[in-house]
Amino acid sequence: APAFGGEARPGAQPPVDAGEQAAILRALSAETPSISCVYLYDALGSELFEQICETPEYYLTRVEGSLLRDITAQLVPFADEPPPERAAGGAALPPVAWVECSAGNGEKVAPLMLASAAVRPTTYVPLDVSASALAANLARFGGARGGEAHELRVRPIVGTNAHGLAEAARLSERKSFMLLGSSLGNALEPHAELGMIARHMAPRDRLLVGVDTPPASADASNAKSRADVVAAYNDARGVTAAFTLNALTHINRVGGTNFALADFAHRSEWCDERCAIVAHVEAVRDVVVSARLAIAPADAPPARVLELRKGERIFIEQSGKFSLRRMEAIAQRAGLRVTRHWLAPRDFYLVVECE
Ligand code: AVI
């Protein structure tokens, strides 16, 4: 018999929300079955993602962090401002608010925020759906007054980026929006994601975007290879596999399905057409997935949701990779223009500034 979480311990699971279940089941029973990548991030998924960032294979976090540190002095002033050391009579630069989408615990931007507060009144506005991530973020900056000349004000906003951006847009300071960590790569329509931020930007604001780059097309020995990129999503310890498969556990909890993890394997492969790593779960045997429908009576039998033959897959996530050219085209579709850009050594990572 299928193992339903709620059967073993009646009442132990929160009730399944009918609207959310309907959306989950619709995606699973579509012609190309999929699970939204949002379901990668329950408490365990967020913990596993932090572990991914520490694997030797997942270079993205480390390379972005070191690129941001290298270019901090260039990022602190806007392109139309003098470098701080040349500001008239050593005066402070005008105030800035840094608004970071999907900020997490703030680790990525800590050196940049401290450098900003050293030369200008600085407000940091981290946006995140996770209150616990923002609490950790606040704790990081709470005591960080040491060497800065100005107060570093931290104003976290809990909620989706759309909600946080609308609130942050009301701040009076000139703003630097940030979308880092290559999260743009997870958007199925990256231009729409940038467009959503662009709608909240005033004319002299800017947007900094950090993205992973595609493997080099030429086979130069020093260039980023497809193997480098594929390995980042197939770490030897299997943390990424556990992260992807955990989406099934999450769906069982919130969608009432009965996926058995042992029936599936994680597959992350390079896809030329999407210029992305694409993550699926693949059935390792023939599988029938059912769900207890939230709208059905408690004694109704589970409904059949999908059948997979061995080798068939469910789409979970894409991790898009962006050349400067591609970023310029996406920015343009979003009504923005790339004003400056910085590449990490061996073109491993890209940060662009848009206005
Ligand atoms: C959060 N995001 C940018 C990660 C990525 O690289 O696409 C999520 C991830 N998926 C597998 N490994 C990491």
Side-chain angles (χ1 to χ4, degrees):
F4 284 94
E7 275 179 354
R9 290 181 298 136
Q13 300 282 345
V16 168
D17 175 86
E20 184 172 17
Q21 181 183 55
I24 290 169
L25 300 190
R26 210 176 308 122
L28 282 173
S29 46
E31 198 177 326
T32 306
S34 67
I35 293 173
S36 161
C37 65
V38 167
Y39 292 108
L40 290 167
Y41 300 95
D42 59 358
L44 176 60
S46 302
E47 163 66 33
L48 288 167
F49 177 61
E50 283 190 19
Q51 288 182 31
I52 288 174
C53 295
E54 316 230 306
T55 61
E57 294 91 345
Y58 195 76
Y59 57 83
L60 287 76
T61 313
R62 282 186 298 279
V63 175
E64 184 185 69
S66 104
L67 179 57
L68 287 175
R69 276 192 298 279
D70 287 351
I71 64 175
T72 290
Q74 296 170 66
L75 292 180
V76 166
F78 285 81
D80 60 5
E81 292 173 337
E85 66 278 9
R86 280 205 261 121
L93 294 173
V96 65
W98 300 86
V99 181
E100 187 184 11
C101 297
S102 310
N105 64 17
E107 193 175 358
K108 294 193 274 288
V109 300
L112 182 57
M113 294 307 102
L114 298 182
S116 174
V119 294
R120 64 195 312 164
T122 296
T123 304
Y124 171 46
V125 187
L127 316 181
D128 208 290
V129 285
S130 160
S132 60
L134 289 180
N137 196 315
L138 206 65
R140 172 187 306 280
F141 290 103
R145 300 282 300 278
E148 304 86 67
H150 304 278
E151 186 187 1
L152 172 57
R153 292 195 299 165
V154 184
R155 297 243 177 117
I157 301 178
V158 184
T160 60
N161 287 336
H163 162 83
L165 285 166
E167 266 196 40
R170 290 193 215 112
L171 293 169
S172 57
E173 295 96 331
R174 193 175 180 189
K175 282 174 280 299
S176 285
F177 292 88
M178 297 182 284
L179 183 63
L180 301 173
S182 207
S183 28
L184 184 66
N186 300 133
L188 295 176
E189 295 194 318
H191 66 276
E193 188 80 2
L194 288 197
M196 194 221 351
I197 301 174
R199 280 195 293 284
H200 294 93
M201 290 168 65
R204 297 173 67 244
D205 291 346
R206 68 176 167 185
L207 167 63
L208 298 168
V209 188
V211 286
D212 195 19
T213 52
S217 39
D219 211 6
S221 63
N222 196 32
K224 184 186 205 176
S225 69
R226 184 177 293 191
D228 291 321
V229 180
V230 170
Y233 294 84
N234 289 280
D235 65 283
R237 275 182 51 223
V239 185
T240 310
F243 172 72
T244 308
L245 288 165
N246 179 58
L248 300 179
T249 311
H250 192 177
I251 291 292
N252 283 347
R253 200 167 60 242
V254 299
T257 46
N258 68 337
F259 282 101
L261 265 58
D263 288 344
F264 291 90
H266 149 91
R267 300 275 179 251
S268 272
E269 291 161 353
W270 176 254
C271 171
D272 252 332
E273 212 175 298
R274 292 178 188 240
C275 194
I277 290 285
V278 178
H280 289 91
V281 290
E282 179 179 308
V284 296
R285 57 185 70 89
D286 294 355
V287 174
V288 179
V289 179
S290 316
R292 286 204 177 285
L293 297 184
I295 52 166
D299 57 355
R304 201 166 260 234
V305 175
L306 87 158
E307 287 186 34
L308 295 171
R309 307 297 300 268
K310 182 179 174 188
E312 289 183 332
R313 294 175 168 198
I314 302 173
F315 172 86
I316 306 228
E317 178 195 52
Q318 79 174 23
S319 300
K321 309 297 165 190
F322 304 86
S323 61
L324 176 59
R325 259 228 197 130
R326 186 173 177 207
M327 277 309 300
E328 284 169 343
I330 291 169
Q332 196 182 16
R333 277 189 82 181
L336 296 166
R337 182 174 61 90
V338 173
T339 42
R340 297 189 285 178
H341 74 273
W342 300 268
L343 278 159
R346 298 170 58 203
D347 293 358
F348 252 70
Y349 203 86
L350 171 67
V351 170
V352 296
E353 176 190 71
C354 307
E355 280 176 13

